[in-house]
Amino acid sequence: MTSKLVLASNNPGKLAEFGTLLATIGFDVRPQGQFNVPEADEPFHTFVENALEKARHAARLTGLPALADDSGVCVNALAGQPGVQSARYAGAPKSDVRNSEKLIADLQTHTDKSAYYYCVLVYVRHADDPQPVIADGRWKGTIIDVPRGSNGFGYDAYFEVDGLGKTAAELGAAEKNQLSHRAQALRVLLDKLR
């Protein structure tokens, strides 16, 4: 028997990735837009608080269990920035190009270019769930000055994956979905939900 689960996102890539894997343990994943749920505010300074807020928001407005993620790139020399502000690092409106340009400019005076993508997933059974299921994943790499690759989005073309010699934007979807911070977090979540 399958149970409906609302994904606190309308991103088709996330829906496909999460939907396929969660179907293996009996969930029918639906995007929040299917229920006319607007995007939740993300007012917090931590990934876990923002993901929890998004999950509770979707569960509250649909009456269904919900799954949310919050993720971004954290650069060690910049004390973890852009972090939760990754999508809005260069200000409004959101722009992958401007965000990447700002990141490269901010790193010009630093020799340490190490970074990691970080993802937190939060699953709630209902809006007031006192025991949300929380999983996280970290994908280590280095920020490079010249972009490489055309796959992916965000900072992917500037994020060279540790040990591969390729940027995240040079990886195919299947390889990225095995290695990424989101894939790591999802595997942890699946183990906890089983």
Coordinates of all heavy atoms in Angstrom, one line a residue, residues 3-6 30 35 55 58-67 124-127:
S3 N 1.5 5.4 0.5 CA 1.0 6.6 1.2 C 1.4 7.9 0.5 O 2.5 8.0 0.0 CB 1.6 6.6 2.6 OG 1.3 5.4 3.3
K4 N 0.5 8.8 0.4 CA 0.8 10.1 -0.2 C 1.8 10.9 0.7 O 1.6 10.9 1.9 CB -0.4 10.9 -0.5 CG -1.1 10.6 -1.8 CD -2.2 11.7 -2.0 CE -3.1 11.2 -3.2 NZ -4.3 12.0 -3.3
L5 N 2.7 11.6 0.1 CA 3.7 12.4 0.8 C 3.9 13.6 -0.1 O 4.1 13.6 -1.3 CB 5.0 11.6 0.8 CG 6.3 12.4 1.3 CD1 6.1 12.8 2.8 CD2 7.5 11.6 1.1
V6 N 3.8 14.8 0.6 CA 3.9 16.1 -0.2 C 5.4 16.5 -0.1 O 6.0 16.5 1.0 CB 2.9 17.1 0.3 CG1 3.2 17.5 1.8 CG2 3.1 18.4 -0.5
R30 N 4.2 13.7 -4.1 CA 3.5 14.8 -4.9 C 4.1 16.1 -4.6 O 4.4 16.4 -3.4 CB 2.0 14.8 -4.6 CG 1.3 13.5 -4.7 CD 1.2 13.1 -6.2 NE 0.5 11.8 -6.3 CZ -0.8 11.7 -6.5 NH1 -1.6 12.7 -6.5 NH2 -1.3 10.5 -6.7
F35 N -1.1 20.9 -4.6 CA -2.1 21.2 -3.6 C -2.2 22.8 -3.4 O -2.8 23.2 -2.4 CB -1.7 20.6 -2.3 CG -1.5 19.1 -2.4 CD1 -0.3 18.5 -2.6 CD2 -2.6 18.2 -2.3 CE1 -0.1 17.2 -2.7 CE2 -2.5 16.9 -2.4 CZ -1.2 16.3 -2.6
A55 N 8.8 21.8 5.8 CA 8.0 20.6 5.9 C 6.8 20.8 6.7 O 5.7 20.4 6.3 CB 8.9 19.5 6.6
A58 N 4.1 22.7 4.5 CA 3.5 21.8 3.6 C 2.5 20.9 4.2 O 1.4 20.7 3.7 CB 4.5 21.1 2.7
A59 N 2.9 20.3 5.4 CA 2.0 19.4 6.1 C 0.8 20.1 6.6 O -0.3 19.6 6.6 CB 2.8 18.7 7.2
R60 N 1.0 21.3 7.1 CA -0.1 22.1 7.7 C -1.2 22.4 6.6 O -2.4 22.3 6.9 CB 0.4 23.4 8.3 CG -0.6 24.2 9.1 CD 0.0 25.5 9.7 NE 1.2 25.1 10.6 CZ 2.4 25.4 10.3 NH1 2.8 26.1 9.2 NH2 3.4 25.0 11.1
L61 N -0.7 22.7 5.4 CA -1.7 23.2 4.4 C -2.3 22.0 3.6 O -3.3 22.2 2.9 CB -1.0 24.2 3.4 CG -0.6 25.5 4.1 CD1 0.1 26.4 3.1 CD2 -1.9 26.2 4.6
T62 N -1.7 20.8 3.7 CA -2.2 19.7 3.0 C -2.8 18.6 3.8 O -3.6 17.8 3.4 CB -1.1 19.0 2.1 OG1 -0.1 18.5 3.0 CG2 -0.5 20.0 1.1
G63 N -2.4 18.5 5.1 CA -2.9 17.4 6.0 C -2.2 16.1 5.7 O -2.6 15.1 6.2
L64 N -1.1 16.2 4.9 CA -0.3 15.0 4.6 C 1.0 15.0 5.2 O 1.5 16.1 5.6 CB -0.2 14.9 3.1 CG -1.4 14.7 2.2 CD1 -1.1 14.9 0.7 CD2 -2.0 13.3 2.4
P65 N 1.7 13.9 5.3 CA 3.1 13.9 5.7 C 3.9 14.7 4.7 O 3.5 14.7 3.5 CB 3.5 12.4 5.6 CG 2.2 11.6 5.7 CD 1.2 12.5 5.1
A66 N 5.0 15.3 5.1 CA 5.7 16.1 4.2 C 7.2 15.9 4.3 O 7.7 15.6 5.4 CB 5.4 17.6 4.4
L67 N 7.9 16.2 3.2 CA 9.4 16.1 3.1 C 9.9 17.4 2.6 O 9.4 17.9 1.6 CB 9.8 15.0 2.2 CG 11.3 14.9 1.9 CD1 12.1 14.5 3.2 CD2 11.6 13.8 0.8
V124 N 8.2 15.0 8.2 CA 7.2 15.1 9.3 C 6.0 14.3 8.9 O 5.5 14.3 7.8 CB 6.9 16.6 9.7 CG1 8.1 17.3 10.2 CG2 6.3 17.3 8.5
R125 N 5.4 13.6 9.9 CA 4.2 12.8 9.7 C 3.0 13.7 9.7 O 2.0 13.4 9.0 CB 4.1 11.8 10.8 CG 5.1 10.7 10.8 CD 5.1 9.8 12.0 NE 5.7 10.6 13.1 CZ 6.8 10.4 13.7 NH1 7.5 9.3 13.4 NH2 7.3 11.1 14.7
H126 N 3.1 14.8 10.4 CA 2.0 15.8 10.4 C 2.7 17.2 10.8 O 3.8 17.2 11.3 CB 0.9 15.4 11.3 CG 1.3 15.1 12.7 ND1 1.5 16.0 13.7 CD2 1.6 13.9 13.3 CE1 1.9 15.4 14.8 NE2 2.0 14.1 14.6
A127 N 1.9 18.3 10.7 CA 2.5 19.6 11.0 C 3.1 19.8 12.3 O 4.1 20.5 12.5 CB 1.4 20.7 10.7

